[in-house]
Amino acid sequence: MSALSLCNLTKTYANSITALQAIDLEVEEGDFFALLGPNGAGKTTAIGIVTSLVNKTSGSVSVFGHDLDTDLAAAKACLGVVPQEVNLNQWDNVHNCVLNQAGFYGLARKHAGERTEIVLRELQLWDRRDETARNLSGGMKRRLMIARALVHEPRLLILDEPTAGVDIEIRRSMWAFLRQINEQGTTIILTTHYLEEAENLCRHVGIIDAGRIVEHDRMSAVLRKLHQEVFVLSLTDIVPSSLSLDGFDYQVVNEHEIEVEVHGDRNLNQLFEALSQAGVQVSSMRNKTNRLEELFMRLVDRRDKELTERIAEPEMRL
Amino acid sequence: MDFQRQMIALYTVARKEVVRILRIWLQTIVPPVITMTLYFIIFGNLIGRRIGEMGGFDYMQYMAPGLIMMSVITNSYGNVVSSFFAAKFQGHLQEMLVAPMKSYVIILGHVTGGIVRGLAVGAVVTVVALFFTRLEVQNPLIAISILILTAIVFSLGGMINAIFARKFDDVAIIPSFVLGPLTYLGGVFYTTSLLPEFWANVSAFNPILYMVNGFRYGMLGVSDIDIVTAYIIILAFVVLAFGTCLYLLSRGIGIRE
């Protein structure tokens, strides 16, 4: 069953900017789905429409089979949302922020209290329950927004850049928590600028650019589309001036480091064989770029190139 | 979401609003009481002594229901406009918009807050009035029903203002340039029988005149306006304002992109 289905979804704002151009997207129940794209690509608009904070221009949206136009309340009941901007009532305490949200979803007071305690404990905020929201650190505010979104046990959780501005330790603990609730059955849609995050967490990915879905596949399939990776090798000795690696291009970074390109038709064994033949000892190695980031940049670059060509064409005719 | 769950949501919104009023009582309850006390001292006690009688009562007695009504109007309006706009401005209005609550639940929850603050300030102003004059309540049911209906009208008015407001200035414009003048010209301090015929006729277009006189009828048993007419006008405004709020929220005007 589809947790989320977007069909021909279009949004044109009052200032005539088209943020979404007839996009189609399916997210299966139980999936951990990454929605990626550069700033202004249309991610937040898409999420805004799904959560009914933005009115669509045309197309349809359904959440677990509930159409937003005809069965809005049922669709909303399935959804939990963590927005990009902190939108807590800054004067409320942590406990009330979550308890009130449970009440807005119609949870009886006693049940709401129990759920509030559960989610605050899970997100390590129970000890701070009497603290005013504005006194929390950035990371705690993010966790509080997740707790608030989970209090009514949504079947679909949408997180719009939940780890923005959060330090790596908290980010990793949030990843562990999100993995856990996904394993327990909650479908998760995540937008993020940290592509490493998407690569680590998500099984499927949709890449949106200029209001269009430019890639939609399994994460592993998307990553396979990359035919080249760049490795940075630290050498034990100084890089020889006449170094030649059979069939591999490389660049000298500094006197102890080189960057080597490994294309899809070669493998690391062949690289190390070439290094051994050249008499070079490698002390450490790391991947230069995040693979997903690489693919993402290629897709966006391709779009920019096409745009440039389209703009240039009339001039050429002249 | 079934009706029972909608009622739980309504209770939650109303409770949140009342907690807010109590949390910032130094801003919500105390300042209007101080302002009204000054009105009683200056207009009632110092100037009122020279005025003598009005409508068959000493001036302080005549003015007291007007001042109580004035505090209910400004506070019910002010409560909803500030609370709803702050929620919109800070973004936490989204908490309610993403939940499966009906629009009427959001409206009624905020109106409950407006009524509670309006009546709380009205009650304290009544206690203050008792230090200055003797108050008799001729028709308690009429007095309290007119107060509540008026609080509903202005709570809804505050919500409409907040829905359209884009910056804090927009929240202050209506109270300063519309609500204030209408209230002062709505028979709080005088009977319209003192006005020249032309201005008395113009006053008939001021809805606050019907509210102030309806409440004065409940308190003192005198009014410039027929009480049935007052009820009809106030109820018409309740229906009109509620319908407007419902339309705006359902369409997402001012709150959704």
Side-chain angles (χ1 to χ4, degrees), chain A residues 52-55 73 76 87 89-90 100-101 103-107 109 148, chain B residues 1 5 8-9 12 15 90-92 94-95 97-101 256-257:
Chain A
S52 73
L53 294 173
V54 175
N55 292 327
K76 281 178 165 182
N87 70 342
N89 183 346
Q90 301 286 329
N100 284 340
Q101 189 70 9
F104 297 155
Y105 279 85
L107 268 65
R109 199 80 181 158
R148 187 182 62 177
Chain B
M1 203 158 85
R5 282 179 170 245
I8 292 170
T12 307
R15 189 178 185 280
Q90 288 183 19
H92 60 88
Q94 290 175 6
E95 292 175 348
L97 298 179
V98 298
M101 295 161 73
R256 292 194 173 99
E257 290 187 71

PDB file of all heavy atoms in Angstrom, chain A residues 52-55 73 76 87 89-90 100-101 103-107 109 148, chain B residues 1 5 8-9 12 15 90-92 94-95 97-101 256-257:
ATOM      1  N   SER A  52      -1.099  19.998   4.356  1.00  0.00           N
ATOM      2  CA  SER A  52      -2.195  20.959   4.186  1.00  0.00           C
ATOM      3  C   SER A  52      -1.873  22.365   4.698  1.00  0.00           C
ATOM      4  O   SER A  52      -2.760  23.126   5.033  1.00  0.00           O
ATOM      5  CB  SER A  52      -3.504  20.441   4.802  1.00  0.00           C
ATOM      6  OG  SER A  52      -3.457  20.483   6.196  1.00  0.00           O
ATOM      7  N   LEU A  53      -0.600  22.709   4.733  1.00  0.00           N
ATOM      8  CA  LEU A  53      -0.219  24.077   5.099  1.00  0.00           C
ATOM      9  C   LEU A  53      -0.080  24.959   3.866  1.00  0.00           C
ATOM     10  O   LEU A  53       0.015  26.173   3.961  1.00  0.00           O
ATOM     11  CB  LEU A  53       1.104  24.072   5.878  1.00  0.00           C
ATOM     12  CG  LEU A  53       1.044  23.400   7.249  1.00  0.00           C
ATOM     13  CD1 LEU A  53       2.423  23.302   7.865  1.00  0.00           C
ATOM     14  CD2 LEU A  53       0.107  24.156   8.183  1.00  0.00           C
ATOM     15  N   VAL A  54      -0.021  24.318   2.703  1.00  0.00           N
ATOM     16  CA  VAL A  54       0.064  25.049   1.434  1.00  0.00           C
ATOM     17  C   VAL A  54      -1.055  24.525   0.533  1.00  0.00           C
ATOM     18  O   VAL A  54      -1.258  23.306   0.447  1.00  0.00           O
ATOM     19  CB  VAL A  54       1.442  24.811   0.760  1.00  0.00           C
ATOM     20  CG1 VAL A  54       1.510  25.467  -0.613  1.00  0.00           C
ATOM     21  CG2 VAL A  54       2.571  25.330   1.640  1.00  0.00           C
ATOM     22  N   ASN A  55      -1.794  25.427  -0.081  1.00  0.00           N
ATOM     23  CA  ASN A  55      -2.858  25.004  -1.001  1.00  0.00           C
ATOM     24  C   ASN A  55      -2.246  24.637  -2.354  1.00  0.00           C
ATOM     25  O   ASN A  55      -1.445  25.396  -2.895  1.00  0.00           O
ATOM     26  CB  ASN A  55      -3.878  26.132  -1.190  1.00  0.00           C
ATOM     27  CG  ASN A  55      -4.671  26.390   0.075  1.00  0.00           C
ATOM     28  OD1 ASN A  55      -4.947  25.478   0.850  1.00  0.00           O
ATOM     29  ND2 ASN A  55      -5.033  27.639   0.306  1.00  0.00           N
ATOM     30  N   ALA A  73      -9.426  14.918   7.071  1.00  0.00           N
ATOM     31  CA  ALA A  73      -9.208  14.629   8.499  1.00  0.00           C
ATOM     32  C   ALA A  73      -8.531  13.264   8.671  1.00  0.00           C
ATOM     33  O   ALA A  73      -7.601  13.128   9.482  1.00  0.00           O
ATOM     34  CB  ALA A  73     -10.522  14.681   9.253  1.00  0.00           C
ATOM     35  N   LYS A  76      -4.913  13.577   7.643  1.00  0.00           N
ATOM     36  CA  LYS A  76      -4.129  14.297   8.655  1.00  0.00           C
ATOM     37  C   LYS A  76      -3.834  13.417   9.864  1.00  0.00           C
ATOM     38  O   LYS A  76      -2.762  13.507  10.453  1.00  0.00           O
ATOM     39  CB  LYS A  76      -4.900  15.533   9.123  1.00  0.00           C
ATOM     40  CG  LYS A  76      -4.826  16.728   8.189  1.00  0.00           C
ATOM     41  CD  LYS A  76      -5.672  17.844   8.766  1.00  0.00           C
ATOM     42  CE  LYS A  76      -5.391  19.186   8.131  1.00  0.00           C
ATOM     43  NZ  LYS A  76      -6.190  20.252   8.759  1.00  0.00           N
ATOM     44  N   ASN A  87       9.105  25.787  15.147  1.00  0.00           N
ATOM     45  CA  ASN A  87       7.805  26.463  15.268  1.00  0.00           C
ATOM     46  C   ASN A  87       7.121  26.106  16.580  1.00  0.00           C
ATOM     47  O   ASN A  87       5.913  25.924  16.637  1.00  0.00           O
ATOM     48  CB  ASN A  87       6.906  26.121  14.066  1.00  0.00           C
ATOM     49  CG  ASN A  87       6.446  24.686  14.096  1.00  0.00           C
ATOM     50  OD1 ASN A  87       7.022  23.867  14.783  1.00  0.00           O
ATOM     51  ND2 ASN A  87       5.394  24.384  13.371  1.00  0.00           N
ATOM     52  N   ASN A  89       5.821  26.762  20.431  1.00  0.00           N
ATOM     53  CA  ASN A  89       5.368  27.883  21.241  1.00  0.00           C
ATOM     54  C   ASN A  89       6.467  28.119  22.278  1.00  0.00           C
ATOM     55  O   ASN A  89       6.609  27.370  23.245  1.00  0.00           O
ATOM     56  CB  ASN A  89       4.041  27.547  21.928  1.00  0.00           C
ATOM     57  CG  ASN A  89       3.509  28.723  22.715  1.00  0.00           C
ATOM     58  OD1 ASN A  89       4.225  29.693  22.980  1.00  0.00           O
ATOM     59  ND2 ASN A  89       2.247  28.654  23.095  1.00  0.00           N
ATOM     60  N   GLN A  90       7.256  29.162  22.039  1.00  0.00           N
ATOM     61  CA  GLN A  90       8.476  29.376  22.821  1.00  0.00           C
ATOM     62  C   GLN A  90       8.206  29.594  24.312  1.00  0.00           C
ATOM     63  O   GLN A  90       9.102  29.469  25.132  1.00  0.00           O
ATOM     64  CB  GLN A  90       9.247  30.579  22.267  1.00  0.00           C
ATOM     65  CG  GLN A  90       9.656  30.431  20.807  1.00  0.00           C
ATOM     66  CD  GLN A  90      10.801  29.450  20.597  1.00  0.00           C
ATOM     67  OE1 GLN A  90      11.665  29.287  21.437  1.00  0.00           O
ATOM     68  NE2 GLN A  90      10.776  28.762  19.466  1.00  0.00           N
ATOM     69  N   ASN A 100      -0.325  19.297  24.465  1.00  0.00           N
ATOM     70  CA  ASN A 100      -1.323  20.034  23.681  1.00  0.00           C
ATOM     71  C   ASN A 100      -1.483  19.433  22.290  1.00  0.00           C
ATOM     72  O   ASN A 100      -2.591  19.322  21.772  1.00  0.00           O
ATOM     73  CB  ASN A 100      -0.941  21.514  23.555  1.00  0.00           C
ATOM     74  CG  ASN A 100      -1.211  22.277  24.832  1.00  0.00           C
ATOM     75  OD1 ASN A 100      -1.989  21.831  25.670  1.00  0.00           O
ATOM     76  ND2 ASN A 100      -0.568  23.416  25.005  1.00  0.00           N
ATOM     77  N   GLN A 101      -0.343  19.043  21.687  1.00  0.00           N
ATOM     78  CA  GLN A 101      -0.432  18.470  20.341  1.00  0.00           C
ATOM     79  C   GLN A 101      -1.266  17.190  20.372  1.00  0.00           C
ATOM     80  O   GLN A 101      -2.068  16.943  19.470  1.00  0.00           O
ATOM     81  CB  GLN A 101       0.979  18.183  19.805  1.00  0.00           C
ATOM     82  CG  GLN A 101       1.017  17.792  18.341  1.00  0.00           C
ATOM     83  CD  GLN A 101       0.683  18.972  17.418  1.00  0.00           C
ATOM     84  OE1 GLN A 101       0.578  20.109  17.853  1.00  0.00           O
ATOM     85  NE2 GLN A 101       0.490  18.687  16.153  1.00  0.00           N
ATOM     86  N   GLY A 103      -3.660  16.584  22.389  1.00  0.00           N
ATOM     87  CA  GLY A 103      -5.059  17.038  22.506  1.00  0.00           C
ATOM     88  C   GLY A 103      -5.618  17.502  21.181  1.00  0.00           C
ATOM     89  O   GLY A 103      -6.784  17.243  20.863  1.00  0.00           O
ATOM     90  N   PHE A 104      -4.794  18.174  20.373  1.00  0.00           N
ATOM     91  CA  PHE A 104      -5.269  18.645  19.058  1.00  0.00           C
ATOM     92  C   PHE A 104      -5.665  17.460  18.171  1.00  0.00           C
ATOM     93  O   PHE A 104      -6.483  17.592  17.280  1.00  0.00           O
ATOM     94  CB  PHE A 104      -4.194  19.469  18.341  1.00  0.00           C
ATOM     95  CG  PHE A 104      -3.809  20.739  19.055  1.00  0.00           C
ATOM     96  CD1 PHE A 104      -2.553  21.317  18.853  1.00  0.00           C
ATOM     97  CD2 PHE A 104      -4.690  21.368  19.914  1.00  0.00           C
ATOM     98  CE1 PHE A 104      -2.187  22.479  19.509  1.00  0.00           C
ATOM     99  CE2 PHE A 104      -4.332  22.543  20.577  1.00  0.00           C
ATOM    100  CZ  PHE A 104      -3.079  23.092  20.372  1.00  0.00           C
ATOM    101  N   TYR A 105      -5.020  16.309  18.413  1.00  0.00           N
ATOM    102  CA  TYR A 105      -5.349  15.106  17.640  1.00  0.00           C
ATOM    103  C   TYR A 105      -6.465  14.297  18.298  1.00  0.00           C
ATOM    104  O   TYR A 105      -6.776  13.195  17.861  1.00  0.00           O
ATOM    105  CB  TYR A 105      -4.105  14.234  17.442  1.00  0.00           C
ATOM    106  CG  TYR A 105      -3.235  14.713  16.307  1.00  0.00           C
ATOM    107  CD1 TYR A 105      -2.292  15.715  16.504  1.00  0.00           C
ATOM    108  CD2 TYR A 105      -3.366  14.190  15.023  1.00  0.00           C
ATOM    109  CE1 TYR A 105      -1.499  16.179  15.460  1.00  0.00           C
ATOM    110  CE2 TYR A 105      -2.585  14.640  13.979  1.00  0.00           C
ATOM    111  CZ  TYR A 105      -1.651  15.630  14.203  1.00  0.00           C
ATOM    112  OH  TYR A 105      -0.871  16.085  13.167  1.00  0.00           O
ATOM    113  N   GLY A 106      -7.038  14.839  19.385  1.00  0.00           N
ATOM    114  CA  GLY A 106      -8.193  14.203  20.007  1.00  0.00           C
ATOM    115  C   GLY A 106      -7.862  13.085  20.976  1.00  0.00           C
ATOM    116  O   GLY A 106      -8.739  12.302  21.336  1.00  0.00           O
ATOM    117  N   LEU A 107      -6.608  13.004  21.441  1.00  0.00           N
ATOM    118  CA  LEU A 107      -6.264  11.981  22.436  1.00  0.00           C
ATOM    119  C   LEU A 107      -6.808  12.414  23.794  1.00  0.00           C
ATOM    120  O   LEU A 107      -6.576  13.558  24.212  1.00  0.00           O
ATOM    121  CB  LEU A 107      -4.742  11.809  22.538  1.00  0.00           C
ATOM    122  CG  LEU A 107      -4.094  10.750  21.646  1.00  0.00           C
ATOM    123  CD1 LEU A 107      -4.245  11.117  20.180  1.00  0.00           C
ATOM    124  CD2 LEU A 107      -2.620  10.600  21.985  1.00  0.00           C
ATOM    125  N   ARG A 109      -7.208  13.040  27.709  1.00  0.00           N
ATOM    126  CA  ARG A 109      -6.180  13.634  28.565  1.00  0.00           C
ATOM    127  C   ARG A 109      -5.230  12.586  29.174  1.00  0.00           C
ATOM    128  O   ARG A 109      -4.020  12.761  29.171  1.00  0.00           O
ATOM    129  CB  ARG A 109      -6.876  14.437  29.670  1.00  0.00           C
ATOM    130  CG  ARG A 109      -5.992  15.452  30.354  1.00  0.00           C
ATOM    131  CD  ARG A 109      -5.869  16.700  29.536  1.00  0.00           C
ATOM    132  NE  ARG A 109      -5.003  17.675  30.178  1.00  0.00           N
ATOM    133  CZ  ARG A 109      -4.390  18.648  29.532  1.00  0.00           C
ATOM    134  NH1 ARG A 109      -4.549  18.784  28.238  1.00  0.00           N
ATOM    135  NH2 ARG A 109      -3.633  19.498  30.167  1.00  0.00           N
ATOM    136  N   ARG A 148       6.897  15.884  19.517  1.00  0.00           N
ATOM    137  CA  ARG A 148       5.563  16.456  19.280  1.00  0.00           C
ATOM    138  C   ARG A 148       4.895  15.779  18.071  1.00  0.00           C
ATOM    139  O   ARG A 148       3.710  15.497  18.089  1.00  0.00           O
ATOM    140  CB  ARG A 148       5.721  17.964  19.029  1.00  0.00           C
ATOM    141  CG  ARG A 148       4.443  18.726  18.938  1.00  0.00           C
ATOM    142  CD  ARG A 148       4.715  20.181  18.644  1.00  0.00           C
ATOM    143  NE  ARG A 148       5.388  20.368  17.358  1.00  0.00           N
ATOM    144  CZ  ARG A 148       5.691  21.547  16.841  1.00  0.00           C
ATOM    145  NH1 ARG A 148       5.408  22.642  17.504  1.00  0.00           N
ATOM    146  NH2 ARG A 148       6.297  21.642  15.672  1.00  0.00           N
TER     147      ARG A 148
ATOM    148  N   MET B   1     -12.007  12.480  12.301  1.00  0.00           N
ATOM    149  CA  MET B   1     -12.023  12.553  13.773  1.00  0.00           C
ATOM    150  C   MET B   1     -13.471  12.757  14.227  1.00  0.00           C
ATOM    151  O   MET B   1     -14.133  13.677  13.761  1.00  0.00           O
ATOM    152  CB  MET B   1     -11.144  13.729  14.225  1.00  0.00           C
ATOM    153  CG  MET B   1     -10.643  13.601  15.635  1.00  0.00           C
ATOM    154  SD  MET B   1      -9.166  14.583  15.973  1.00  0.00           S
ATOM    155  CE  MET B   1      -9.827  16.167  16.361  1.00  0.00           C
ATOM    156  N   ARG B   5     -13.728  13.388  19.804  1.00  0.00           N
ATOM    157  CA  ARG B   5     -12.326  13.810  19.657  1.00  0.00           C
ATOM    158  C   ARG B   5     -12.228  15.307  19.341  1.00  0.00           C
ATOM    159  O   ARG B   5     -11.303  15.983  19.768  1.00  0.00           O
ATOM    160  CB  ARG B   5     -11.637  12.974  18.574  1.00  0.00           C
ATOM    161  CG  ARG B   5     -11.268  11.602  19.077  1.00  0.00           C
ATOM    162  CD  ARG B   5     -10.607  10.752  18.023  1.00  0.00           C
ATOM    163  NE  ARG B   5     -10.067   9.549  18.640  1.00  0.00           N
ATOM    164  CZ  ARG B   5      -8.770   9.265  18.711  1.00  0.00           C
ATOM    165  NH1 ARG B   5      -7.888  10.073  18.202  1.00  0.00           N
ATOM    166  NH2 ARG B   5      -8.355   8.162  19.299  1.00  0.00           N
ATOM    167  N   ILE B   8     -12.468  17.050  22.554  1.00  0.00           N
ATOM    168  CA  ILE B   8     -11.193  16.988  23.296  1.00  0.00           C
ATOM    169  C   ILE B   8     -10.246  18.058  22.747  1.00  0.00           C
ATOM    170  O   ILE B   8      -9.574  18.770  23.494  1.00  0.00           O
ATOM    171  CB  ILE B   8     -10.556  15.579  23.174  1.00  0.00           C
ATOM    172  CG1 ILE B   8     -11.404  14.549  23.930  1.00  0.00           C
ATOM    173  CG2 ILE B   8      -9.129  15.582  23.706  1.00  0.00           C
ATOM    174  CD1 ILE B   8     -10.992  13.100  23.673  1.00  0.00           C
ATOM    175  N   ALA B   9     -10.239  18.187  21.409  1.00  0.00           N
ATOM    176  CA  ALA B   9      -9.387  19.208  20.782  1.00  0.00           C
ATOM    177  C   ALA B   9      -9.837  20.609  21.202  1.00  0.00           C
ATOM    178  O   ALA B   9      -9.006  21.478  21.502  1.00  0.00           O
ATOM    179  CB  ALA B   9      -9.443  19.060  19.262  1.00  0.00           C
ATOM    180  N   THR B  12      -8.686  21.336  24.593  1.00  0.00           N
ATOM    181  CA  THR B  12      -7.237  21.575  24.602  1.00  0.00           C
ATOM    182  C   THR B  12      -6.917  23.011  24.184  1.00  0.00           C
ATOM    183  O   THR B  12      -6.099  23.683  24.815  1.00  0.00           O
ATOM    184  CB  THR B  12      -6.517  20.578  23.662  1.00  0.00           C
ATOM    185  OG1 THR B  12      -6.915  19.255  24.002  1.00  0.00           O
ATOM    186  CG2 THR B  12      -5.015  20.701  23.775  1.00  0.00           C
ATOM    187  N   ARG B  15      -8.183  25.393  26.921  1.00  0.00           N
ATOM    188  CA  ARG B  15      -7.334  25.297  28.111  1.00  0.00           C
ATOM    189  C   ARG B  15      -6.004  26.025  27.882  1.00  0.00           C
ATOM    190  O   ARG B  15      -5.513  26.757  28.739  1.00  0.00           O
ATOM    191  CB  ARG B  15      -7.080  23.821  28.434  1.00  0.00           C
ATOM    192  CG  ARG B  15      -6.402  23.589  29.755  1.00  0.00           C
ATOM    193  CD  ARG B  15      -6.235  22.091  30.008  1.00  0.00           C
ATOM    194  NE  ARG B  15      -5.702  21.842  31.326  1.00  0.00           N
ATOM    195  CZ  ARG B  15      -4.418  21.948  31.643  1.00  0.00           C
ATOM    196  NH1 ARG B  15      -3.555  22.302  30.708  1.00  0.00           N
ATOM    197  NH2 ARG B  15      -3.994  21.723  32.862  1.00  0.00           N
ATOM    198  N   GLN B  90       4.848  33.182  15.156  1.00  0.00           N
ATOM    199  CA  GLN B  90       5.893  32.246  15.621  1.00  0.00           C
ATOM    200  C   GLN B  90       5.827  30.921  14.884  1.00  0.00           C
ATOM    201  O   GLN B  90       6.761  30.123  14.955  1.00  0.00           O
ATOM    202  CB  GLN B  90       5.732  31.970  17.118  1.00  0.00           C
ATOM    203  CG  GLN B  90       6.126  33.127  18.014  1.00  0.00           C
ATOM    204  CD  GLN B  90       6.017  32.743  19.484  1.00  0.00           C
ATOM    205  OE1 GLN B  90       5.989  31.586  19.860  1.00  0.00           O
ATOM    206  NE2 GLN B  90       5.942  33.741  20.338  1.00  0.00           N
ATOM    207  N   GLY B  91       4.715  30.657  14.241  1.00  0.00           N
ATOM    208  CA  GLY B  91       4.594  29.425  13.458  1.00  0.00           C
ATOM    209  C   GLY B  91       3.875  28.298  14.169  1.00  0.00           C
ATOM    210  O   GLY B  91       3.562  27.289  13.559  1.00  0.00           O
ATOM    211  N   HIS B  92       3.616  28.439  15.491  1.00  0.00           N
ATOM    212  CA  HIS B  92       3.020  27.284  16.176  1.00  0.00           C
ATOM    213  C   HIS B  92       1.522  27.141  15.921  1.00  0.00           C
ATOM    214  O   HIS B  92       0.896  26.195  16.391  1.00  0.00           O
ATOM    215  CB  HIS B  92       3.363  27.257  17.669  1.00  0.00           C
ATOM    216  CG  HIS B  92       2.924  28.434  18.461  1.00  0.00           C
ATOM    217  ND1 HIS B  92       1.685  28.511  19.046  1.00  0.00           N
ATOM    218  CD2 HIS B  92       3.554  29.582  18.761  1.00  0.00           C
ATOM    219  CE1 HIS B  92       1.594  29.665  19.692  1.00  0.00           C
ATOM    220  NE2 HIS B  92       2.703  30.329  19.521  1.00  0.00           N
ATOM    221  N   GLN B  94       0.672  26.252  13.198  1.00  0.00           N
ATOM    222  CA  GLN B  94       0.749  25.039  12.367  1.00  0.00           C
ATOM    223  C   GLN B  94       0.417  23.785  13.162  1.00  0.00           C
ATOM    224  O   GLN B  94      -0.078  22.810  12.601  1.00  0.00           O
ATOM    225  CB  GLN B  94       2.154  24.898  11.774  1.00  0.00           C
ATOM    226  CG  GLN B  94       2.444  25.935  10.716  1.00  0.00           C
ATOM    227  CD  GLN B  94       3.877  25.857  10.212  1.00  0.00           C
ATOM    228  OE1 GLN B  94       4.628  24.966  10.571  1.00  0.00           O
ATOM    229  NE2 GLN B  94       4.257  26.813   9.391  1.00  0.00           N
ATOM    230  N   GLU B  95       0.693  23.827  14.487  1.00  0.00           N
ATOM    231  CA  GLU B  95       0.355  22.669  15.325  1.00  0.00           C
ATOM    232  C   GLU B  95      -1.126  22.331  15.173  1.00  0.00           C
ATOM    233  O   GLU B  95      -1.514  21.171  15.142  1.00  0.00           O
ATOM    234  CB  GLU B  95       0.642  22.982  16.801  1.00  0.00           C
ATOM    235  CG  GLU B  95       2.114  23.126  17.140  1.00  0.00           C
ATOM    236  CD  GLU B  95       2.321  23.556  18.589  1.00  0.00           C
ATOM    237  OE1 GLU B  95       1.339  23.959  19.256  1.00  0.00           O
ATOM    238  OE2 GLU B  95       3.477  23.504  19.056  1.00  0.00           O
ATOM    239  N   LEU B  97      -3.102  23.524  12.605  1.00  0.00           N
ATOM    240  CA  LEU B  97      -3.493  23.383  11.202  1.00  0.00           C
ATOM    241  C   LEU B  97      -3.173  21.991  10.645  1.00  0.00           C
ATOM    242  O   LEU B  97      -3.879  21.511   9.764  1.00  0.00           O
ATOM    243  CB  LEU B  97      -2.809  24.454  10.344  1.00  0.00           C
ATOM    244  CG  LEU B  97      -3.170  25.905  10.688  1.00  0.00           C
ATOM    245  CD1 LEU B  97      -2.403  26.868   9.777  1.00  0.00           C
ATOM    246  CD2 LEU B  97      -4.653  26.164  10.575  1.00  0.00           C
ATOM    247  N   VAL B  98      -2.105  21.355  11.161  1.00  0.00           N
ATOM    248  CA  VAL B  98      -1.775  20.016  10.648  1.00  0.00           C
ATOM    249  C   VAL B  98      -2.626  18.936  11.322  1.00  0.00           C
ATOM    250  O   VAL B  98      -2.701  17.814  10.828  1.00  0.00           O
ATOM    251  CB  VAL B  98      -0.270  19.659  10.795  1.00  0.00           C
ATOM    252  CG1 VAL B  98       0.593  20.612  10.012  1.00  0.00           C
ATOM    253  CG2 VAL B  98       0.148  19.600  12.250  1.00  0.00           C
ATOM    254  N   ALA B  99      -3.232  19.265  12.456  1.00  0.00           N
ATOM    255  CA  ALA B  99      -4.051  18.281  13.171  1.00  0.00           C
ATOM    256  C   ALA B  99      -5.439  18.188  12.518  1.00  0.00           C
ATOM    257  O   ALA B  99      -5.884  19.136  11.871  1.00  0.00           O
ATOM    258  CB  ALA B  99      -4.183  18.691  14.633  1.00  0.00           C
ATOM    259  N   PRO B 100      -6.115  17.041  12.699  1.00  0.00           N
ATOM    260  CA  PRO B 100      -7.421  16.885  12.039  1.00  0.00           C
ATOM    261  C   PRO B 100      -8.555  17.591  12.769  1.00  0.00           C
ATOM    262  O   PRO B 100      -9.645  17.050  12.919  1.00  0.00           O
ATOM    263  CB  PRO B 100      -7.612  15.362  12.039  1.00  0.00           C
ATOM    264  CG  PRO B 100      -6.793  14.860  13.155  1.00  0.00           C
ATOM    265  CD  PRO B 100      -5.666  15.805  13.369  1.00  0.00           C
ATOM    266  N   MET B 101      -8.297  18.797  13.242  1.00  0.00           N
ATOM    267  CA  MET B 101      -9.338  19.577  13.931  1.00  0.00           C
ATOM    268  C   MET B 101     -10.174  20.319  12.909  1.00  0.00           C
ATOM    269  O   MET B 101      -9.655  20.814  11.918  1.00  0.00           O
ATOM    270  CB  MET B 101      -8.687  20.648  14.829  1.00  0.00           C
ATOM    271  CG  MET B 101      -7.888  20.122  15.957  1.00  0.00           C
ATOM    272  SD  MET B 101      -6.775  21.400  16.568  1.00  0.00           S
ATOM    273  CE  MET B 101      -7.908  22.459  17.398  1.00  0.00           C
ATOM    274  N   ARG B 256      -2.657  30.022   5.176  1.00  0.00           N
ATOM    275  CA  ARG B 256      -1.989  29.033   4.329  1.00  0.00           C
ATOM    276  C   ARG B 256      -1.474  29.739   3.097  1.00  0.00           C
ATOM    277  O   ARG B 256      -2.040  30.740   2.683  1.00  0.00           O
ATOM    278  CB  ARG B 256      -2.966  27.927   3.893  1.00  0.00           C
ATOM    279  CG  ARG B 256      -3.415  27.044   5.011  1.00  0.00           C
ATOM    280  CD  ARG B 256      -4.074  25.794   4.477  1.00  0.00           C
ATOM    281  NE  ARG B 256      -4.348  24.888   5.561  1.00  0.00           N
ATOM    282  CZ  ARG B 256      -5.544  24.757   6.144  1.00  0.00           C
ATOM    283  NH1 ARG B 256      -6.566  25.471   5.708  1.00  0.00           N
ATOM    284  NH2 ARG B 256      -5.729  23.929   7.147  1.00  0.00           N
ATOM    285  N   GLU B 257      -0.416  29.162   2.495  1.00  0.00           N
ATOM    286  CA  GLU B 257       0.134  29.778   1.290  1.00  0.00           C
ATOM    287  C   GLU B 257      -0.596  29.273   0.071  1.00  0.00           C
ATOM    288  O   GLU B 257      -0.931  28.111  -0.013  1.00  0.00           O
ATOM    289  CB  GLU B 257       1.617  29.456   1.181  1.00  0.00           C
ATOM    290  CG  GLU B 257       2.424  30.168   2.237  1.00  0.00           C
ATOM    291  CD  GLU B 257       3.911  29.978   2.006  1.00  0.00           C
ATOM    292  OE1 GLU B 257       4.426  30.563   1.048  1.00  0.00           O
ATOM    293  OE2 GLU B 257       4.549  29.276   2.787  1.00  0.00           O
TER     294      GLU B 257
END
